[in-house]
Amino acid sequence: MKTPLDRVSLSRRDFIGRISLGAAAVSLSSRLRAADAVAPKKLGIALAGLGSYARGQLLPALKNHTQHCRLAGVVTGSKEKGLQWSKDHGFPEKNIYSYDTMQQMADNPEIDIVYVATPNALHAQHSIAAAKAGKHVICEKPMAISVVECDAMIAACRAANVKLSIGYRLHFDPFHQELKRHAREKDFGPFMKITGANGFNMQRKVWRADHKLSGGGPLMDMGVYCLHEACLATDGATPVAVTAREHPKTRPEIFADVEEGLDWTMEFANGAKAEFMSSYSRNDGWFRAEAEKDFMAFSPAFSYNGLKVTTSQGPLNLTPVPSQQAIQMDDFAQCVRDNRQTIVPGELGRRDMLVVEAIYKAIRTGQRTVVAA
């Protein structure tokens, strides 16, 4: 039989136990808050343009692979599509914007970055609108359809004190990083002969074959990969001159106002030469850079995955990344957070547009064309 003293002792032990549990809970709560403080909040990205690239590449990257950013909203011309994305992917309806209401994002702290993935001719308009709303910008390649538009985008981002990055995903792929390293360190010697091709067989007319939306044909789409890769293989050099020839059109009903295909050559100041082909009538995707005795050969070269690289010293055995786009977006989110420069800034997109403009001029004139400064 318990005495009153026994009952008091039991109560005291119970009280001490409860105090200990409470202290443990407080300690756990403190550790969780400390962990939250150590792990910074993911930055919010709004996708502007919900076409195949956003659906097939950017969305899966944000949902499954990114560590520093997340899908926070969309910009779309279809309210119904926006509502469906909100329902399916867990962001509030207030984070749905139209292209006419992008300025209202200025009042939304949940969105830090806008990824512009609309047709080429709309890149400048939508990037500038995002910048004016105070949001950092990733713009899909090609940066714009003219150097003048590139300049306007760069100026708008500087005026708004926001960062601008171009969607050159291959800069974040380990195989292409190895090409960049070889070009920089020249352990193969300088790459002097560069060749490649990139294209696909377009079966019907889509916006890419409409000059008003695309600004051009396969050069503006698939060819940009080739010319950008050549600059990468020459350690970031800009070509000094180009020559070019448009292919005869076999399907003018589709390619009425853009080229169906083209060949072009790029000359570099050190004597290196790059020869490429791009087409909407054949499936291609390879790249080769040759030094005096050594080489690197990519096939496939520009795909989202499955890249294969052979060198003069054997196959390049690297671990592929699960998503080039995820690494690209994560890196930009860290650039924003740490206030550092992206490795794929607007100036890089502008350089490539200088080359594109020279190539189109060479096609029109049939003459060797100097690339503008």
Side-chain angles (χ1 to χ4, degrees), residues 320-340:
V321 296
S323 168
Q324 299 162 350
Q325 292 83 358
I327 298 176
Q328 171 204 333
M329 289 187 285
D330 265 348
D331 183 78
F332 187 62
Q334 290 174 293
C335 286
V336 169
R337 183 180 290 135
D338 300 340
N339 192 28
R340 61 178 170 84

Side-chain angles (χ1 to χ4, degrees), residues 13-341:
R13 286 195 298 272
D14 183 57
F15 176 74
I16 292 171
R18 291 182 182 183
I19 288 293
S20 299
L21 288 172
V26 169
S27 176
L28 176 60
S29 176
S30 298
R31 289 198 301 273
L32 290 174
R33 285 197 299 271
D36 288 341
V38 171
K41 176 179 72 73
K42 288 186 176 183
L43 299 189
I45 290 186
L47 299 180
L50 304 181
S52 60
Y53 191 66
R55 295 192 309 271
Q57 303 302 324
L58 301 179
L59 174 63
L62 288 165
K63 296 289 285 187
N64 303 318
H65 299 294
T66 51
Q67 302 296 314
H68 301 281
C69 53
R70 61 185 177 85
L71 179 65
V74 295
V75 184
T76 175
S78 168
K79 180 68 172 180
E80 292 74 20
K81 186 181 291 186
L83 289 170
Q84 191 63 52
W85 274 62
S86 170
K87 177 182 176 182
D88 292 344
H89 306 301
F91 57 84
E93 291 184 15
K94 68 181 180 65
N95 290 3
I96 303 170
Y97 296 90
S98 72
Y99 299 110
D100 295 328
T101 62
M102 290 180 68
Q103 70 277 4
Q104 295 176 13
M105 285 193 289
D107 300 320
N108 191 339
E110 295 178 16
I111 295 174
D112 304 286
I113 299 165
V114 176
Y115 197 128
V116 176
T118 51
N120 306 339
L122 302 175
H123 285 181
Q125 174 186 339
H126 297 150
S127 295
I128 291 170
K132 288 183 176 179
K135 306 305 176 183
H136 301 280
V137 180
I138 305 174
C139 180
E140 191 45 44
K141 63 84 198 161
M143 181 175 174
I145 61 171
S146 71
V147 174
V148 170
E149 286 190 347
C150 293
D151 287 339
M153 294 163 67
I154 292 170
C157 289
R158 285 177 179 168
N161 195 30
V162 298
K163 296 186 182 300
L164 170 62
S165 178
I166 309 304
Y168 288 126
R169 57 184 169 81
L170 294 177
H171 273 259
F172 304 92
D173 180 87
F175 295 96
H176 293 268
Q177 287 176 336
E178 185 67 1
L179 173 69
K180 183 177 180 180
R181 185 189 69 77
H182 279 295
R184 180 182 65 251
E185 298 179 6
K186 294 181 174 55
D187 42 7
F188 281 179
F191 292 118
M192 301 300 291
K193 181 181 178 182
I194 301 167
T195 51
N198 199 23
F200 69 93
N201 192 357
M202 185 183 289
Q203 297 294 320
R204 58 187 178 86
K205 185 164 185 173
V206 294
W207 70 263
R208 287 179 173 83
D210 182 347
H211 194 277
K212 291 180 180 178
L213 291 175
S214 65
L219 176 60
M220 294 289 286
D221 181 14
M222 311 300 285
V224 169
Y225 286 104
C226 293
L227 75 85
H228 188 85
E229 196 79 352
C231 296
L232 199 69
T234 52
D235 196 21
T238 300
V240 295
V242 300
T243 54
R245 179 186 66 87
E246 183 178 354
H247 297 171
K249 292 183 180 181
T250 63
R251 292 178 290 167
E253 69 280 5
I254 297 179
F255 305 106
D257 59 357
V258 300
E259 76 275 8
E260 184 174 347
L262 74 158
D263 301 307
W264 78 96
T265 300
M266 299 159 58
E267 304 169 23
F268 293 86
N270 69 343
K273 183 175 286 188
E275 297 181 348
F276 294 118
M277 186 280 296
S278 187
S279 174
Y280 277 153
S281 289
R282 52 185 283 186
N283 297 312
D284 270 303
W286 61 274
F287 179 87
R288 183 180 176 94
E290 299 180 38
E292 184 178 0
K293 296 181 179 179
D294 295 288
F295 70 87
M296 293 186 71
F298 295 65
S299 183
F302 310 113
S303 304
Y304 302 138
N305 47 55
L307 303 184
K308 294 184 183 300
V309 180
T310 301
T311 77
S312 48
Q313 299 178 2
L316 193 59
N317 295 314
L318 298 173
T319 302
V321 296
S323 168
Q324 299 162 350
Q325 292 83 358
I327 298 176
Q328 171 204 333
M329 289 187 285
D330 265 348
D331 183 78
F332 187 62
Q334 290 174 293
C335 286
V336 169
R337 183 180 290 135
D338 300 340
N339 192 28
R340 61 178 170 84
Q341 177 69 292

